[in-house]
Amino acid sequence: MASVPFDQLDGEIWFNGEFVPWKDAKVHVLTHGLHYASAVFEGERAYGGRVFKLTEHNQRLHKSADILGFKVPYSVDELDAATIELLKRQGFSEAYVRPIAWRGSEMMGISAQANRINVAIAIWQWGSYFNPAEKLKGIRLDIAEYRRPDPKTAPSSSKAAGLYMICTISKHAAEAKGYADAMMLDYRGQVAEATGANIFFVKEGVIHTPVPDCFLNGITRQTVIELAKRRGYTVVERTIQPEELSSFSECFLTGSAAEVTPVSEIGPYKFTPATISETLMNDYMKEVYPAASVADE
């Protein structure tokens, strides 16, 4: 993480079509997105000077905005080009990328039909989401109090800012107990995901993961499933009950920030990071670097 506040970093931010000094990328206190969470975002990583699956992320940004009832005023191609140029301007080869779109301050209230849709992209250097030493031996997760909501009550297929409120609460509560993160159940009491990453389990050489019907089907999740199948592993997407956790031998998380991170504990349940977790962790890192995908250059 940065040693200075994020609003004080150096460089530039792409803001509504222009590259502006980092410290000048500001919004008004009455911005609708701040008060009513009318914002969508993405989390991406650059490896070796290339953003992994950049277009897929910007396509999802557009889809998320559509679900929230607004249109991103820049095409996917324009967002791709802006991101590539900004990465060059920032001078980073290894970095985190955060595009965000939100309703502005033209109207203040539940209804915001006339509000401008603003878009920004910020890129900064960011190390491992989890402590590197912890990552190798497996991180410890608490079991969150809050649950992923019924998709009939919240736009769960959108990467909407408001859906992460309970994630922050849950992660803070877990960290206060000495855990790195928390596993969340869904509204039915079934295993869902971690606060910002999808979750996988291993039993007798078979990989099991919850069906993403009330949380995001992560881009990293999809990538890791593909990598697992390339290796010949069987991947089963199914309902997973909490009481099943004692029957799994391995567990790992996937996400753009988390990458592939083995898990050693979830509450009272223990896991041992082993061959499948390590293999997929290594395969993912090979996949994301440009040198590993020469055909995509």
Side-chain angles (χ1 to χ4, degrees):
M1 290 288 186
S3 59
V4 297
F6 270 80
D7 61 350
Q8 297 299 311
L9 295 179
D10 293 323
E12 295 178 300
I13 288 177
W14 186 86
F15 196 127
N16 287 333
E18 299 179 359
F19 294 96
V20 302
W22 190 286
K23 295 177 184 179
D24 293 340
K26 300 176 181 179
V27 297
H28 195 271
V29 69
L30 294 182
T31 295
H32 195 271
L34 175 63
H35 292 256
Y36 298 100
S38 54
V40 295
F41 69 97
E42 283 293 320
E44 309 159 10
R45 273 190 184 268
Y47 299 90
R50 185 186 69 176
V51 180
F52 184 62
K53 296 201 170 179
L54 173 61
T55 298
E56 288 91 329
H57 279 286
N58 284 327
Q59 288 172 338
R60 189 171 66 180
L61 185 76
H62 271 256
K63 178 182 176 183
S64 292
D66 289 342
I67 293 170
L68 261 63
F70 66 83
K71 298 289 183 182
V72 175
Y74 301 93
S75 70
V76 170
D77 286 345
E78 288 174 317
L79 294 175
D80 285 355
T83 303
I84 292 168
E85 177 61 23
L86 182 59
L87 185 61
K88 292 178 182 176
R89 285 172 175 252
Q90 291 294 86
F92 302 147
S93 60
E94 315 294 315
Y96 190 78
V97 182
R98 170 54 54 86
I100 183 168
W102 71 97
R103 289 190 175 98
S105 54
E106 289 75 16
M107 295 176 67
M108 178 49 60
I110 298 296
S111 179
Q113 301 284 5
N115 287 36
R116 176 181 183 175
I117 303 305
N118 299 276
V119 185
I121 305 169
I123 299 177
W124 63 89
Q125 290 180 302
W126 195 21
S128 178
Y129 187 61
F130 296 109
N131 181 292
E134 285 187 344
K135 188 172 180 177
L136 291 173
K137 65 183 181 181
I139 62 169
R140 300 171 61 244
L141 307 185
D142 191 14
I143 298 176
E145 175 184 355
Y146 285 97
R147 297 184 175 190
R148 276 279 161 234
D150 185 333
K152 294 180 180 179
T153 67
S156 58
S157 58
S158 170
K159 195 169 176 68
L163 293 173
Y164 286 80
M165 174 185 66
I166 57 175
C167 298
T168 295
I169 294 171
S170 299
K171 189 171 177 68
H172 283 185
E175 290 175 339
K177 297 177 186 178
Y179 293 96
D181 201 355
M183 183 190 77
M184 304 183 77
L185 303 179
D186 67 19
Y187 65 100
R188 297 159 296 200
Q190 300 167 0
V191 173
E193 59 176 351
T195 62
N198 292 123
I199 194 165
F200 290 78
F201 301 93
V202 177
K203 180 178 182 180
E204 298 176 352
V206 175
I207 300 171
H208 302 258
T209 189
V211 177
D213 59 358
C214 63
F215 55 88
L216 281 182
N217 180 11
I219 290 172
T220 307
R221 176 185 186 274
Q222 296 172 52
T223 301
V224 171
I225 288 175
E226 179 185 340
L227 292 173
K229 290 180 177 179
R230 283 187 208 167
R231 283 281 183 179
Y233 296 130
T234 298
V235 180
V236 179
E237 299 182 68
R238 66 176 181 85
T239 296
I240 298 176
Q241 302 295 341
E243 55 268 25
E244 291 185 65
L245 297 189
S246 61
S247 69
F248 297 120
S249 58
E250 295 182 59
C251 176
F252 57 89
L253 304 180
T254 66
S256 294
E259 299 167 324
V260 177
T261 298
V263 173
S264 61
E265 297 179 28
I266 301 178
Y269 304 102
K270 310 293 184 183
F271 310 93
T272 302
T275 303
I276 292 180
S277 297
E278 183 177 2
T279 297
L280 292 175
M281 184 167 58
N282 293 334
D283 284 355
Y284 183 74
M285 296 313 296
K286 291 176 183 177
E287 184 76 8
V288 298
Y289 274 96
S293 303
V294 177
D296 294 337
E297 292 297 312

